[in-house]
Every structure is written in C-alpha cells, then in structure tokens.
Amino acid sequence: MTSRAKSVRPVPRRRRPARRLLGALALLLVAALTPAGAPPAQAAPTLLSQGRPATASSTENAGTPAAAAVDGNPGTRWASVFSDPQWIQVDLGTRATLSQVTLAWEGAYGRAFQIQTSDDGATWTTVHSTTAGTGGTQTVNVAGAGRYVRMYGTARGTGYGYSLWEFQVYGETGGTAPTCGETNVAQGRPATASSVESAGLPASAAVDGNPGTRWASTAADPQWLRVDLGSVRSVCRVVLTWEAAHARAFQVQTSADGSSWTTVYSTATGTGGTQSLAVSGSGRYLRVYGTARATTHGYSLWELAVNVTGGDVTPVEPTDPRNPNLGPNTFVFDPSTPTATIQNRLNTIFTQQERNQFGPERYAVLFKPGTYTADVNLGFFTQVAGLGMSPDDVNLNGHVRVEAFWMGGNATQNFWRAAENLSVTLPPGVSVERWAVSQAAPYRRMHLRGAQNQIQLWNGGDGWSSGGLMADTRIDGLVVSGSQQQWYSRNSEFGNGWTGSVWNMVFQGVTGAPPPHFPNPSHTVIPQTPQVREKPFLYVDGTGEYRVFVPALRTNSTGTSWYGKTPAGSSISLSQFYVVRPGTSAATINAALAQGRHLLFTPGVHRVTEPIRVDRPDTVVLGLGLATIQADNGTVAMRVADVDGVKVAGIMFEAGQVNSPVLMEVGPTGSAANHAANPTSLHDVFFRIGGPGVGRATNTLTVNSDNVIGDHMWLWRADHGDGVGWAVNTADTGLTVNGDDVTMYGLFVEHYQRYQTVWNGNGGRTYFYQNEMPYDPPNQAAWMNGATRGYAAYKVADGVTSHQAWGMGSYCYFNVDPSVVAERAIEAPTNPNVRFTNMVTVSLGGVGTINRVVNGTGGTANAANQQVYLTNYP
C-alpha cells in the first residue's frame, strides 16, 4: 500500500465548471462598462437625505453651506471652520430606519467621527464610530433609526476643517418614536467602581436585582459606579436606590467607549432615598459620578436601574442544561439506544446528504459517553461528535468515514462535514479508515485506535482529493495521503508515521511527522505551534449536565491537548448559553448577548437582517452541524468588538443576494487594544458566496483586532452550483487583516475576483495556505490590477515590516479563457523580516498561467511546466 500510495499522481483538480449565465455579448458589455476586475455596482437603498434641510456647527464661508452636501450636486460642498469638533446634520422630515450612509469627502476629511441619529435633534445615538477615517468616498452600513442624522467629527484628517461634497443617508421611512421601557437593562451586567468599602460591598451588588445587597465606596470624593450595558443603548430613565450614605452632588454620565463621558443629569441637591431620573442620552456605559457626599461615610447604593428607549430587552428563553432543546436536526444517542435505531438514523441522514451539497439541511449526531457499534458515513453538512471530556470517553466500534463514491472516486467536492471528539475501533479484519475530503471537513480531536490500522485521505486507489485539516488527533497507526493534493496537520500524534505527498503537505507540532524534505517530497515540518487554543466543544459531565469546555491557550506545543494528559481550560454550563434555533431574529440573539449569554447555534440556516453583535469579552459562539448564518438585505452577519477572548467555532457564514460590505468583522476599524494574553480565536469558521443561489459580498472576513488566532478557515467564492458567474456572485476579497500579530493556522481562500488575502498588519503569521485563483475571468482585460496582470493570491501590504508564512500553495485554472495570466501568486515588500518558506504554484491541467511565485522570483507555472516550487523568499 505504501509504494502504491507514493506512485499515485493526481489528476488535475477540475471541479464541475461554473455555468455561464451570460452570453458572450453580455460578458463583453460587462467588461466594457465595468472597471477592470471590479464587480458591478448593486442597486442602492432609498436615498432619504437629498434636498432635505441641513444645518451645521459652522461653515468656512458663504459658498460652502450645509445645504450643499445634500443637494445631489457632486460639484458643491459643505466645509467647516478649522477646529474640532464639528458636525453636519440633516432633517429627514420623519422617522426612518437607516441602512447606509455615504460620505463623499473633499480633501479635508474626518479622521475620527461618528454617525449619529436622533428623534428630536437633541439626544443623539451613535450608530457608527471610527478613529481611522480614510477620506475619499466612504460607504458605511448602519443599523439605527431617527428623524435626524448627523456626522459628528472629533478629529480632522488635515489642517483644514471638515468638507463633504455629499452627505447621503439611505433607508426606509416609517415607525413611531419609541417609548421609555420598563426593563432594567443594568441588572446582571458587569459593574465596576472607583473603590469599595469592603469585599462584602462590591460594585456588582448594586446591579444584582437584590434590594438587600449594596455597593459602598470609601469615604472620599469623588467616587463612581459604572455599569456596562453590553451595547450602545438610548437611556431614558435611571433609578437610584440609595442607602443612608447618599450623594448630595452627583452626575449621571454615559459613554460609548468607557473613557469619554457625557453628562445627562446633574444635581447639587441630592435627596437620597429612591430617585427616579428622566434622562436623555445614549451609550454602552453608564456611571453615577459622585462629587460631594451627604454624610461622612462613602457613597452607597442598594440598586442602580437603567431603562432604555427603542424597546425593552427581548425576553430570552432559558436553557435547561440537563435537557436542552437542540432543535429537530440534532440527534443525541446514549449507550441504551438500540444499535439498529442509531444505524437507521445514520443511514437516513447519509442517504439525504450524500449529494446534498447546496441544500439548507444541516445535521448533528452526538454520542454520550459509552461504547457503540456504528458505521458513520458522513455526507454534506453533517457533524458527528462525542459528548465526553476526552475522545476516549466515546468509542465507536465501526467507522467514522467519508467516501467519494457519489463522484466516482473524485473527492474534490467533499466539503462541509466534521468528525470530532470520538475514538474509533475498526471492525475485526478491517485495517483501513477512509477520510476522502477536501475543504471545510475537519478531523479534529479524534482517536483512531490500533497500531496496525491506517487512515487514507483519498478514496484509496482511485480518484483524488484536495485539502483538509487534522488537528488535536491521535492516529495509532499510519496516515496515507495518496493523491491528496494538499493537507495541514496540527498538534497531532501519528503512531506509525505518514506516507505520501503531492504538492503541499504541512505538519506543525506533530509527533510522528515525516522529515522535512520540501519539495521532494513536499513536506513542510514546523516543530512547534507557537500559540493556539483548541476549539471549544460540547460535552456531558458525570451528573448529566451539558457543558461547553473552552481549552486554554497553549504555547510552543506539540502533540494533542488530551492524550495521556488532562486538558487545561474552563467549563461553562449550558445554562449560560442561549440556544439559537432557525427562525430566531438577530434582535433576540443580540438581546441574549446583552444579557451576558453565550450562543449555541443548532443545525440549520439562520437568516439575519442586522449584525449579530458580540461585545462581551470571553463570549463563546459555538455551532452544531455546520450551522449557517446567512446575511440578508446587505447586512454584516457578525461584528465582534475589540475585546479579549471571544471564541467563534463551528459556524458557516453565507452571503445573501444583496451585497454585504463584509460578512464578518473582528474588531471595528481602528482597533488597537493588546489581546496577547487572551486573544480572540476562530475555529472551523467557513464562508460561502454563491452556490445555493446568488450571493454577494465585497469583503468576506475583516480582522481589525490585534492578536487574533484563526484555526482552520475556508473562504470560498463559489466556482460551481447555482448563482455562479463573473458578474453574478461578485466578491472582491476573501480575508483582510488589519490587526497586528494575527496568526492563521490552516487558511484556505479561493476564487475571489481581486486579492484573495490582503495583510495590512505587522507581525502576521500564516501556517499553511491553500488558494485557487478565480476560474472565471472572462478575459485578461477584465482581470487587471492597474497595469499588472491579475491579482496576487496573497498580498502583504507595502508598509508591512514583519510577516512570516510557511507552506503556501496557489493554483490557477482559468477555464473561461486559458490565455489569462496571473503575474504572481504572492506580492510582498522585499524585507528580511517579511519571509516566506516552502511555496508551490500549479497550473491545474495547464489551463492558465501563474508567471512568478513571489514578486519577480520563481518560475512560471503553465501548460509546459505545471508545478513550480520555491523554498525561500527573500
């Protein structure tokens, strides 16, 4: 078997060609009318601001009035005086729900500014904030409502004032002014204080809903108590229940960021007792700031209550951690379940999912600790997982396998399935397990028992496969890659080693890895993993309670986190999670997050029309059965704040028909906090644009926060399926990294129309990169980057001074016009601290050309020379 595996040569990877939805004439028209390489513009929402009354904090002169920014004339402008802050506001005439604001800046632009809304022109709510404005034309997706909209500038980008050619507000009119709610949104939220009198009088006691507990400060002025509401809220009422030690003079203040404060109430004649204060303001943070005590003691509050407009917090369903409702497509088995019942269910799911590449069905099959007999043959969008703390707590006598019979042995489309946290004992007389997969099919935290056994990563003797991940896994026997074209193994243990190689095989922190010998065979071996957190997982403890285990960070690690050792990490009861089932609105999901809950997405497609906002540090977002979040109406599907330790795992994001600016954003623009001790991490997070139907997104994943870890991601603009074509499923860029010290393990990015990956931050590291350039440029003229032929697969920005990447593969298959040339696979500054190790470019079947590997270095991959290797750059 070993010699046979070594002799297997891959047939060039040729998926089902993308169907041509436009005729030749239409393609020529699109190419002629659209800037080179740019997708066509999408239909805009309703423009509400044009011709409406506008006012401003100042004007530079009579020729630059506020009205000029809303007159629809791109040759007239508003300009302010040369100072900060300045603002321009427009009266829409009636309340409107907003979706987008476009700022067409003149040369004098805003570096730091907010977009704000108001119902009365006096109390403002911030719906967008940045400290890294770029000038030019900025289109900002927003979610908010109001009659008045303003740009509030706090820092100019030049020595001049602020100047806008056009200030355009889009959305839909309608709705009534909100009333003040009755729910106490401060209850249970994180609270801090300037001081505490003793450990028994903490800040949290003032927001716990218990009138018998209190916060008390030391006996000094000033003192304060602060609560984090979880997101920006419009505050309309604050109720203070004072103990005898009350404030004579104090302010109630709000803040969007916890550092800059706005006073919404002030008094020098505080009465103590219970004070109900009507206020108007907005912010994520609210504090009571005492400046003069009424007694010789400190300040003391039994309770601080906060009410908001815009609707009360949506009631969030509690989760029973012993009997959770995981939805109709999650099947949980225990050792008492009859074997026939288990196998019949597995067979039914597989029959439905074997070819169901683009259907909405999703399934999770979970096994409680114990021993079972089962043949688990996984089709599309099916996850099998054990519910033990260790993979060895659940043993399946049988198989956990993936075959490619449905495509005659070709496994290059065996995507979207997962095996996790199980041990497998093969049947007597059987020594081969098969995991014939390509992208987005993790084999994670698994144990294949038996030193005499092997796992084959292709269909075994026929067909071929094209890329996958094995992580935190123990294989007692041998791993045989066969015609697997590229593969990434991390923190695993191979008892009898590995055999096989085609183009790009990367091993990191793997015991039993083959020796490094790139490019013949093409084995890249990295001894350790510098910093990683394994994927969180669901399990059942010894009392029958469902919990989620969050593994701890490991540094300079090798081998698994669990075999022969106790995993380090923390455990969270499922009672602390909100279980999201299909049909749940983003508003309800955000309400759960605002109340401090984690999220568990059940199998299915979850459609959202506003962003899911993950604002709290250490929040866990975990999906079962490759749960999919679809962005509708052009929204961003998820925004993660610039906070410590968020974990997003087992989630797929999908673009809707209306173009989204980005599907997922980690950290807002301008994020700068250091998260080295507790980074945000993304595990088995996948993205799809097109395939089930039309999908569009300008950018797919943008990482603005520092220190983020990516642990197996596939970002895919579909090359086959429905809703596919150069002018149909439009998408510029897959991954954009703006944060510093970001690390990607097992990164797959494919078929985008411009740069596949753009890296703007310093200190970045990528371990294993798989890329295919777009198959479908209609001709060279349609795919030009200025004077350069095509776009690089991996772009490190010119200003980056430190970056490293190992095991890079980029492939072309220009099947619409094979004469198309990509000038280079990797584009990067020439700097000794910007380094690339072990690269390969391939012209699949000789269809198309990649002229150079990095910048102007490396050979040409084309029909005459289909594979090109480069070991180091520079």
Side-chain angles (χ1 to χ4, degrees), residues 262 396 439 540 551 557 618 683 754 765 815 826 852 866:
T262 299
L396 297 186
Q439 292 78 31
V540 177
S557 59
D618 296 310
H683 312 265
R754 295 191 177 184
R765 295 175 294 186
N815 63 336
I826 302 169
R852 293 289 183 264
Q866 294 184 19

Side-chain angles (χ1 to χ4, degrees), residues 35-324:
Q42 306 301 320
T46 303
L47 176 60
L48 303 176
S49 55
Q50 191 162 307
R52 297 299 308 167
T55 54
S57 53
S58 67
T59 57
E60 182 181 350
N61 56 56
T64 57
V70 293
D71 61 1
N73 182 348
T76 62
R77 64 186 176 94
W78 161 70
S80 78
V81 297
F82 304 171
S83 65
D84 293 308
Q86 300 291 335
W87 53 262
I88 181 172
Q89 76 180 47
V90 59
D91 178 359
L92 303 179
T94 185
R95 196 165 198 267
T97 300
L98 309 185
S99 59
Q100 190 179 91
V101 174
T102 297
L103 304 166
W105 295 102
E106 194 249 359
Y109 67 97
R111 177 170 54 81
F113 63 88
Q114 293 97 50
I115 303 297
Q116 300 176 320
T117 63
S118 175
D119 286 310
D120 57 9
T123 301
W124 295 90
T125 298
T126 298
V127 296
H128 174 80
S129 180
T130 183
T131 58
T134 60
T137 297
Q138 292 182 261
T139 297
V140 178
N141 278 12
V142 297
R147 172 175 172 172
Y148 302 89
V149 182
R150 76 176 178 182
M151 185 288 299
Y152 187 83
T154 55
R156 291 163 290 144
T158 71
Y160 299 99
Y162 297 82
S163 183
L164 283 165
W165 294 109
E166 285 295 302
F167 177 41
Q168 297 176 320
V169 178
Y170 296 88
E172 296 180 1
T173 58
T176 59
T179 58
C180 194
E182 298 295 330
T183 301
N184 177 11
V185 300
Q187 187 168 317
R189 298 298 307 163
T192 54
S194 53
S195 68
V196 293
E197 181 183 340
S198 67
L201 302 168
S204 59
V207 293
D208 62 1
N210 183 349
T213 62
R214 64 186 175 97
W215 161 71
S217 77
T218 57
D221 294 310
Q223 300 290 338
W224 52 261
L225 174 74
R226 182 180 84 168
V227 61
D228 178 358
L229 303 178
S231 61
V232 174
R233 309 297 299 268
S234 295
V235 180
C236 54
R237 186 187 301 112
V238 174
V239 181
L240 304 172
T241 305
W242 294 101
E243 196 248 1
H246 66 278
R248 178 169 52 81
F250 67 92
Q251 293 95 51
V252 176
Q253 301 174 321
T254 59
S255 173
D257 58 9
S259 58
S260 299
W261 294 91
T262 299
T263 298
V264 297
Y265 175 85
S266 180
T267 185
T269 56
T271 60
T274 297
Q275 293 182 268
S276 181
L277 310 174
V279 301
S280 293
S282 65
R284 172 175 172 170
Y285 302 89
L286 181 140
R287 75 176 178 183
V288 179
Y289 189 83
T291 56
R293 292 164 289 142
T295 73
T296 58
H297 302 287
Y299 298 83
S300 183
L301 279 166
W302 294 109
E303 282 296 303
L304 163 63
V306 179
N307 304 132
V308 298
T309 58
D312 289 338
V313 175
T314 305
V316 174
E317 173 188 314
T319 300
D320 181 350
R322 297 183 182 278
N323 187 31

Side-chain angles (χ1 to χ4, degrees), residues 594-683:
Q595 293 174 35
R597 303 279 283 276
H598 306 276
L599 300 178
L600 180 70
F601 282 85
T602 63
V605 177
H606 303 260
R607 302 167 71 102
V608 297
T609 56
E610 63 179 279
I612 296 169
R613 300 181 182 275
V614 183
D615 294 329
R616 183 171 53 88
D618 296 310
T619 300
V620 177
V621 180
L622 180 62
L624 297 177
L626 291 94
T628 301
I629 300 173
Q630 180 174 310
D632 286 345
N633 297 340
T635 190
V636 177
M638 181 176 288
R639 294 188 189 274
V640 178
D642 189 29
V643 295
D644 278 355
V646 172
K647 298 92 182 172
V648 181
I651 297 288
M652 181 167 169
F653 293 91
E654 186 151 82
Q657 294 186 27
V658 179
N659 187 72
S660 293
V662 65
L663 292 183
M664 182 183 189
E665 181 184 70
V666 181
T669 300
S671 296
N674 186 318
H675 307 292
N678 186 13
T680 285
S681 52
L682 313 177
H683 312 265

Side-chain angles (χ1 to χ4, degrees), residues 37 753-755 773-774 777 779-793 814 820-824 827 849:
Q753 294 176 293
R754 295 191 177 184
Y755 289 121
M773 294 179 174
N779 50 57
Q780 189 71 68
W783 197 52
M784 293 288 292
N785 182 12
T788 301
R789 294 178 293 183
Y791 290 81
F814 300 130
V820 169
V821 176
E823 191 60 42
R824 58 187 70 93
E827 185 176 305
T849 298

Side-chain angles (χ1 to χ4, degrees), residues 515-646:
H517 207 285
F518 190 90
N520 186 25
S522 57
H523 292 157
T524 298
V525 180
I526 302 138
Q528 294 180 320
T529 304
Q531 185 184 59
V532 76
R533 174 190 290 123
E534 297 298 340
K535 179 182 177 181
F537 60 90
L538 185 68
Y539 75 103
V540 177
D541 71 9
T543 72
E545 181 179 15
Y546 284 78
R547 303 183 69 87
V548 171
F549 188 76
V550 182
L553 280 175
R554 293 200 292 164
T555 58
N556 298 324
S557 59
T558 59
T560 69
S561 66
W562 56 269
Y563 185 75
K565 64 195 78 167
T566 300
S570 59
S571 178
I572 307 170
S573 170
L574 204 63
S575 65
Q576 301 303 306
F577 281 75
Y578 176 59
V579 177
V580 186
R581 294 184 292 277
T584 305
S585 70
T588 300
I589 296 169
N590 285 331
L593 288 167
Q595 293 174 35
R597 303 279 283 276
H598 306 276
L599 300 178
L600 180 70
F601 282 85
T602 63
V605 177
H606 303 260
R607 302 167 71 102
V608 297
T609 56
E610 63 179 279
I612 296 169
R613 300 181 182 275
V614 183
D615 294 329
R616 183 171 53 88
D618 296 310
T619 300
V620 177
V621 180
L622 180 62
L624 297 177
L626 291 94
T628 301
I629 300 173
Q630 180 174 310
D632 286 345
N633 297 340
T635 190
V636 177
M638 181 176 288
R639 294 188 189 274
V640 178
D642 189 29
V643 295
D644 278 355
V646 172

